[in-house]
Amino acid sequence: MPDNREQFKNLLKQNGLKVTSQRVAILEVLSSRPGEHLTAEEIYDFVRVEYPDIGLATVYRTIQMLSELNLIDKLNLDDGYVRYEISKFDKEESCHHHHHLICLDCGSIGTFQDDLLETLETRIKELLGFEVVDHEVKFFGHCIKCRGE
Amino acid sequence: MPDNREQFKNLLKQNGLKVTSQRVAILEVLSSRPGEHLTAEEIYDFVRVEYPDIGLATVYRTIQMLSELNLIDKLNLDDGYVRYEISKFDKEESCHHHHHLICLDCGSIGTFQDDLLETLETRIKELLGFEVVDHEVKFFGHCIKCRGE
DNA sequence: TTGGGTGCAAAGGCTTTGCATGTGA
DNA sequence: TCACATGCAAAGCCTTTGCACCCAA
């Protein structure tokens, strides 16, 4: 998406960051795979197809930057890898992330959008005085495919 | 709690594991600090007060075992440490864990028990055919203490 | 020109593993 | 006795960092 790419370049400039081919390529890899949850190593492998000379350290550094710019979301499944996916919203609006449905059988990662948690967050604020600004929800279970088998 | 300690010893025996003073001591440390979320290193430091000769590897191995026996729960805050706390239920009943309220200001970790998520889980099953068996929920925000300051 | 970015390799830091010794049952 | 558990140290493994070179602006 050339439009998004322009937005990205502007965002970099706005933050005093330089537009490099590596950064564009890494965002491109993530943008072209929405819903996939890639590890740094996997991103590295995808980017190397176009940029064989890129270093893994650059991937890590760019990932960190993209995360701070809220362009990508982190997902930790406690398997030793941190995974990343492109955010649905480019700006840092008060967007609550979707929930992840992790299949214990095949390892697939589904998603689910819901606003029921806001009820919960209101209740937490009323009962405990804790003001929620973000949340992270993971559901573990069996996906429809694995249940059928 | 001498009663819980007996239960623990029996559980070990039932699983063909030996009752050692190190294992008892480690569970004791976690049992006596409910609601605290200790790293392996912290557990190690506490246990060493009574057992100065214990090895860090033993702590890691015991933690893993306790986790498999569902006696302790894992908590990952993505800060490089995995934390552990004693489970509320000794047996592996269908107990859904409590939610964690993580203060972005002071780092304190509160908890919240709720069953609203079951509604959500029912909806997920109906809409997507995904059968939830466990979940993990973290809320990030500002605790009542930090909000007052 | 010039300060941030990159690649490479080395270092970091939590966790796991190998192995000889120790110890519950 | 003997299989499992422990301690110590080394190895693993993902990630970060140092540094010289490079390149957008």
Side-chain angles (χ1 to χ4, degrees), chain A residues 18 20 23 54-55 58 61:
Chain A
K18 289 181 179 171
T20 66
R23 286 172 175 176
I54 199 170
T58 299
R61 281 187 284 236

Side-chain angles (χ1 to χ4, degrees), chain B residues 81-99:
Chain B
Y81 297 87
V82 181
R83 288 153 207 284
Y84 299 90
E85 67 177 317
I86 193 84
S87 286
K88 290 232 173 120
F89 309 93
D90 293 32
K91 308 284 177 177
E92 54 171 313
E93 293 159 21
S94 65
C95 75
H96 272 180
H97 316 300
H98 52 261
H99 312 147

Side-chain angles (χ1 to χ4, degrees), chain B residues 71-133:
Chain B
L71 293 175
I72 59 176
D73 289 327
K74 234 188 240 194
L75 177 64
N76 195 330
L77 300 182
D78 288 320
D79 61 353
Y81 297 87
V82 181
R83 288 153 207 284
Y84 299 90
E85 67 177 317
I86 193 84
S87 286
K88 290 232 173 120
F89 309 93
D90 293 32
K91 308 284 177 177
E92 54 171 313
E93 293 159 21
S94 65
C95 75
H96 272 180
H97 316 300
H98 52 261
H99 312 147
H100 287 110
L101 310 176
I102 298 135
C103 181
L104 297 168
D105 303 314
C106 67
S108 69
I109 306 170
T111 59
F112 187 65
Q113 198 76 42
D114 180 271
D115 52 2
L116 188 59
L117 252 63
E118 287 179 18
T119 310
L120 201 50
E121 292 177 4
T122 304
R123 200 187 292 177
I124 288 171
K125 187 166 181 179
E126 286 169 0
L127 289 175
L128 304 173
F130 186 99
E131 184 184 15
V132 175
V133 298

Side-chain angles (χ1 to χ4, degrees), chain B residues 3-20:
Chain B
D3 185 41
N4 271 339
R5 185 159 17 171
E6 280 313 306
Q7 281 182 24
F8 175 47
K9 289 184 181 177
N10 287 331
L11 190 59
L12 289 180
K13 288 172 188 167
Q14 283 165 27
N15 288 73
L17 300 165
K18 288 181 180 171
V19 177
T20 67

Side-chain angles (χ1 to χ4, degrees), chain A residues 74-100:
Chain A
K74 233 187 242 192
L75 177 64
N76 195 331
L77 300 183
D78 289 321
D79 62 351
Y81 298 87
V82 180
R83 289 153 206 285
Y84 299 89
E85 67 178 317
I86 193 82
S87 286
K88 291 231 170 122
F89 309 93
D90 292 33
K91 308 285 179 177
E92 53 171 313
E93 293 159 20
S94 64
C95 72
H96 273 185
H97 317 299
H98 53 261
H99 313 150
H100 288 110

Side-chain angles (χ1 to χ4, degrees), chain A residues 9-25:
Chain A
K9 290 183 180 176
N10 288 331
L11 190 59
L12 288 180
K13 287 172 188 165
Q14 284 165 26
N15 287 74
L17 300 165
K18 289 181 179 171
V19 178
T20 66
S21 55
Q22 291 94 329
R23 286 172 175 176
V24 173

Side-chain angles (χ1 to χ4, degrees), chain A residues 19 34 40 59-60 76 115 140:
Chain A
V19 178
V59 174
Y60 274 104
N76 195 331
D115 51 4
F140 301 93

